[in-house]
Amino acid sequence: MQQQVASEVQHHQLKKKNQETQMCRKIKLSITDHNNLKLTTTVDNDDGDVCDKIDGEDLFIPPLNFSMVDNGIFRSGFPEPSNFSFLQTLGLRSIIYLCPEPYPEANMEFLKSNGIKLYHFGIEGHKEPFVNIPDDTIREALKVLLDVRNHPVIIHCKRGKHRTGCLVGCYRKLQKWCLSSVFDEYQRFAAAKARVSDQRFVELFDISSMKHLPIPFSYLKR
């Protein structure tokens, strides 16, 4: 009887492991403006574990909430050392970092060894109703983002939701997106953590003083 129970437990564990392995899948990302670069990455499974190999093949691990914003512009949560090999495939020139804390030493070493410039715009991550998004800081970050000499660039804060979402939202206004589309994008990344104050900030953000800046957006090239 005990042998039968042990056999069933072993079978269950093996079945669970196979199911978890199947949850690791490849994601292909094509960047047409940067030498037709194609990336193969993994996603996290429900238990938070990351599969770094499938059939013996090394796979890249993107940062939390990673996504492409436009040609040469990306967004994500805070990159961990396990994400460095993935970031290398992007050929980054710059990182826009929106948290007030100093950049970790391991991340600084990664930037130095890959010739990546860090633009640090410290914005406090308070929760509602104490959210205070500095208008002037967002404007300075937008100037860096608009400068094609800084591309490819990735924007990130801690989770890639609120501060990153505000900057990308203001960027979308410069692209002449309607507010409903801007808010829809913000909510997809913020999910249940979406903040009315963030969306209000984006809605009231005045882009008139920035219209003179060059706009190297992909939609203008169509």
Side-chain angles (χ1 to χ4, degrees):
M1 182 66 179
Q2 290 180 343
Q3 290 180 342
Q4 183 179 356
V5 172
S7 178
E8 290 178 354
V9 170
Q10 185 178 11
H11 176 73
H12 175 73
Q13 291 175 339
L14 180 61
K15 183 178 179 181
K16 182 179 179 182
K17 182 177 181 180
N18 289 337
Q19 289 175 339
E20 290 176 350
T21 301
Q22 291 173 359
M23 295 181 72
C24 293
R25 62 186 184 273
K26 298 178 183 179
I27 303 174
K28 292 185 178 179
L29 171 64
S30 296
I31 309 171
T32 55
D33 277 10
H34 297 284
N35 301 320
N36 294 318
L37 180 63
K38 292 186 178 180
L39 309 179
T40 304
T41 70
T42 58
V43 295
D44 295 348
N45 63 31
D46 292 339
D47 296 327
D49 298 326
V50 178
C51 300
D52 56 3
K53 287 180 180 291
I54 291 182
D55 296 330
E57 180 184 358
D58 289 328
L59 299 173
F60 299 119
I61 305 170
L64 176 72
N65 262 336
F66 174 82
S67 183
M68 187 174 185
V69 177
D70 204 339
N71 288 332
I73 301 177
F74 307 92
R75 62 180 291 170
S76 75
F78 205 104
E80 300 290 339
S82 60
N83 308 133
F84 290 169
S85 60
F86 173 84
L87 294 180
Q88 283 180 316
T89 66
L90 302 179
L92 295 174
R93 290 183 183 173
S94 310
I95 287 180
I96 296 176
Y97 172 47
L98 301 176
C99 298
E101 294 81 12
Y103 222 43
E105 184 177 346
N107 292 62
M108 289 301 298
E109 285 297 322
F110 170 75
L111 299 192
K112 184 178 179 181
S113 63
N114 288 274
I116 301 172
K117 185 171 183 178
L118 177 67
Y119 291 93
H120 190 180
F121 300 97
I123 300 175
E124 296 290 341
H126 298 303
K127 296 182 179 180
E128 290 183 316
F130 306 106
V131 176
N132 179 29
I133 306 164
D135 185 282
D136 56 341
T137 303
I138 292 294
R139 291 184 185 279
E140 290 303 311
L142 272 174
K143 290 177 183 177
V144 173
L145 188 61
L146 291 172
D147 191 342
V148 71
R149 293 173 297 181
N150 296 321
H151 297 179
V153 58
I154 190 168
I155 310 159
H156 80 80
C157 49
K158 185 176 181 181
R159 299 289 182 183
K161 295 180 178 181
H162 303 116
R163 287 164 283 196
T164 298
C166 287
L167 181 57
V168 171
C170 294
Y171 171 96
R172 295 306 190 192
K173 288 188 71 173
L174 283 168
Q175 285 188 302
K176 301 182 180 179
W177 280 31
C178 65
L179 281 175
S180 61
S181 295
V182 173
F183 295 157
D184 179 65
E185 181 180 43
Y186 169 87
Q187 291 163 7
R188 284 204 309 272
F189 288 92
K193 300 291 186 178
R195 295 173 178 170
V196 173
S197 55
D198 288 348
Q199 295 170 83
R200 183 65 172 169
F201 172 83
V202 173
E203 180 181 5
L204 297 176
F205 186 79
D206 184 9
I207 62 172
S208 60
S209 64
M210 306 193 74
K211 288 182 177 180
H212 68 285
L213 296 173
I215 307 178
F217 301 135
S218 59
Y219 84 101
L220 294 177
K221 302 175 183 178
R222 294 173 184 170

